[in-house]
Amino acid sequence: MKDVIVTDWTESLRTAIADRRDDLIALTQDLIRIPTLNPPGEFYRDICDYLDARLSKKGFSTQMIRAVGAPGDCEKYPRWNIVARREGNRPGECVHFNSHIDVVDVGKGWTTDPFGGELIDGKIYGRGACDMKGGLAASIIAAEAFIATVPDWQGAIEISGTADEESGGFGGVAYLAEKGHFARVDHVIIPEPLNKDRICLGHRGVWWAEIETHGEIAHGSMPFLGDCAVRHMGAVLHEMEESLFPALAQKRTDMPVVPEGAKQSTLNINSLHGGQAEIPADSTGLPSPVVPDSARMVIDRRFLIEEGIDEVQAEITGVLDRVAAGRERFSYDIREMHRVLPTMTDREAPVVRTVSDAIRQTLGQDPQYVVSPGTYDQKHIDRIGKLKNCIAYGPGILDLAHKPDEYVGVDDMLQSAEVMALSLKALLAP
């Protein structure tokens, strides 16, 4: 570990953040209590209005940006985003903190109110506490403490709250990137919950596709007169088990992906459906006897930086072609739904070096450099925004994301806020 040099600035910023402990708790609780569920995309404008009121009082100029025409955007559920900017005393670089405002479904198994924001034993509970309203709150406290403590700084600080990260980010960061917003940004920190001593350099790739097998409808009492698409899909699943899953398990990456199991290529069967639609829960009827003429499967393939997208697709079509070669009347369609290429920021990038030094000053240890098993909005900043100088760093335990009784630790938020504030000092007031 490198020697840690503590300066008066470090102590001043540390004190300024510690003095804001109660404010940080209240801010995090307020954000959790706005139930920004996605899908469908509820209360986006409400949380943007809340952030607008907060940041405008601190001297930020704000923009409300609706992602008109983005997936999911409609009059009932408009995709609202907020970008707040505070200018320094003279020209310089821009540091942008980006947090997504949406949260996933609550699910079952909670012992606390999912939108209560309860403070229990130094932890704030609620859906989105960890992923990632705690990170958003920490970045706001960091920026406010820095502005209040450092009188003469250059450049600009931006804080954004963006929509739909949980469903791909197309109504949020992707939309902002397409509109050229990141052309005026130099450094991006995304406060995703990767643990306070880790810097996340990027993520694996993802390819989603829908496979459909075809059959012929017939009476269920005479299935020999039809052709069962579900049986055809069963053959596809069998071939995947026999050849594809073992092959993927042999592929390993040099990317520092966490957890350990994600260092190999993976495939998840996201959904599977064949035959008639399910009977509504309030119906007392029975299904009709028919042979299904269609079966559909959605796959979620996560791939490594060493793999090419053509290779990934060829593995799936190879499975289907092998089934077709040995099975009569087998036919299929495959439709790409979504693709994201892997990305990884260089460890020597300015934002990486700066946050690394801030972690050493705050925690007294070297950071761990990791890569996320799943994608997040860095993909859009990199590919669309053409900005490589981007990382994820924020409070929270990654394994708690999307789980019941999700929480974020107050002390973790305070220490992460200190890291962010010291990073601002190094980049904007050297």
Side-chain angles (χ1 to χ4, degrees):
M1 187 181 75
K2 296 181 179 178
D3 292 337
V4 175
I5 301 174
V6 178
T7 67
D8 289 341
W9 282 116
T10 302
E11 293 304 325
S12 297
L13 286 170
R14 182 173 292 146
T15 299
I17 289 166
D19 289 345
R20 288 167 168 76
R21 181 187 185 94
D22 290 345
D23 189 13
L24 175 61
I25 292 171
L27 173 57
T28 305
Q29 291 175 318
D30 285 348
L31 294 171
I32 291 169
R33 289 165 182 163
I34 304 173
T36 48
L37 284 167
N38 179 30
E42 297 178 327
F43 298 104
Y44 284 179
R45 183 61 191 236
D46 298 69
I47 199 168
C48 288
D49 286 340
Y50 176 91
L51 293 169
D52 179 34
R54 167 90 186 205
L55 294 169
S56 294
K57 292 178 182 177
K58 302 296 182 178
F60 284 81
S61 60
T62 61
Q63 289 180 276
M64 295 289 196
I65 303 168
R66 178 178 170 182
V68 177
D73 179 70
C74 60
E75 289 308 308
K76 187 174 182 180
Y77 301 112
R79 266 42 193 176
W80 283 106
N81 304 272
I82 182 172
V83 178
R85 183 179 177 95
R86 172 71 186 260
E87 301 285 351
N89 296 330
R90 56 190 185 279
E93 296 184 333
C94 176
V95 180
H96 183 111
F97 294 98
N98 166 248
S99 298
H100 66 82
I101 56 176
D102 58 322
V103 302
V104 298
D105 188 22
V106 170
K108 299 178 180 179
W110 286 77
T111 62
T112 63
D113 180 353
F115 297 110
E118 296 177 58
L119 176 63
I120 305 172
D121 296 330
K123 301 171 183 176
I124 303 175
Y125 287 81
R127 176 55 83 222
C130 169
D131 185 17
M132 58 179 295
K133 291 178 177 179
L136 171 57
S139 69
I140 291 171
I141 292 296
E144 292 175 352
F146 169 77
I147 292 167
T149 304
V150 181
D152 185 28
W153 57 280
Q154 62 193 28
I157 301 169
E158 290 188 346
I159 297 173
S160 63
T162 51
D164 285 3
E165 188 274 344
E166 298 292 3
S167 55
F170 299 102
V173 170
Y175 187 86
L176 296 183
E178 288 165 358
K179 298 302 180 182
H181 178 83
F182 292 97
R184 66 177 187 176
V185 172
D186 299 284
H187 312 270
V188 178
I189 298 172
I190 303 175
E192 288 276 9
L194 274 302
N195 300 12
K196 63 185 178 184
D197 59 347
R198 289 174 169 177
I199 293 175
C200 185
L201 302 173
H203 51 71
R204 295 191 299 174
V206 57
W207 186 62
W208 280 48
E210 181 186 66
I211 299 167
E212 182 178 13
T213 53
H214 305 293
E216 181 181 353
I217 195 168
H219 199 289
S221 68
M222 297 174 286
F224 46 84
L225 297 180
D227 185 26
C228 181
V230 172
R231 292 182 63 186
H232 288 315
M233 189 63 80
V236 174
L237 288 167
H238 178 74
E239 179 62 28
M240 285 181 169
E241 293 289 348
E242 291 294 310
S243 64
L244 183 57
F245 283 107
L248 296 182
Q250 298 304 309
K251 294 188 175 188
R252 305 289 293 180
T253 184
D254 290 330
M255 302 172 80
V257 187
V258 290
E260 183 67 26
K263 289 184 178 178
Q264 69 177 47
S265 296
T266 58
L267 175 69
N268 178 53
I269 308 300
N270 194 69
S271 65
L272 187 64
H273 178 78
Q276 300 172 49
E278 290 189 16
I279 297 173
D282 59 353
S283 173
T284 59
L286 297 173
S288 57
V290 295
V291 175
D293 60 1
S294 172
R296 298 184 310 280
M297 175 169 60
V298 174
I299 59 172
D300 176 356
R301 172 75 162 85
R302 303 294 169 134
F303 61 100
L304 314 173
I305 205 164
E306 293 87 353
E307 299 178 273
I309 186 65
D310 292 341
E311 174 188 348
V312 169
Q313 293 172 304
E315 288 172 335
I316 300 301
T317 56
V319 166
L320 296 167
D321 290 343
R322 286 194 295 276
V323 174
R327 190 173 181 85
E328 293 184 1
R329 302 178 69 182
F330 179 83
S331 67
Y332 70 87
D333 288 317
I334 185 166
R335 177 176 67 89
E336 179 178 292
M337 302 174 70
H338 180 47
R339 71 162 67 183
V340 174
L341 299 180
T343 184
M344 190 166 70
T345 300
D346 192 283
R347 287 193 189 186
E348 295 304 311
V351 72
V352 178
R353 296 199 310 269
T354 301
V355 175
S356 296
D357 289 343
I359 289 173
R360 293 185 187 101
Q361 292 182 68
T362 301
L363 302 179
Q365 65 185 62
D366 288 330
Q368 180 184 2
Y369 300 98
V370 301
V371 166
S372 174
T375 68
Y376 55 95
D377 278 334
Q378 184 170 339
K379 58 183 175 284
H380 300 310
I381 294 167
D382 178 1
R383 305 296 179 184
I384 305 173
K386 308 300 182 185
L387 180 58
K388 298 287 187 181
N389 193 36
C390 174
I391 59 168
Y393 172 76
I397 300 169
L398 178 61
D399 295 352
L400 297 177
H402 301 193
K403 297 281 287 182
D405 285 343
E406 176 186 351
Y407 69 82
V408 64
V410 175
D411 288 341
D412 285 353
M413 286 195 293
L414 288 167
Q415 289 184 310
S416 292
E418 183 179 321
V419 170
M420 296 177 199
L422 290 173
S423 299
L424 288 173
K425 170 65 178 64
L427 293 169
L428 304 182

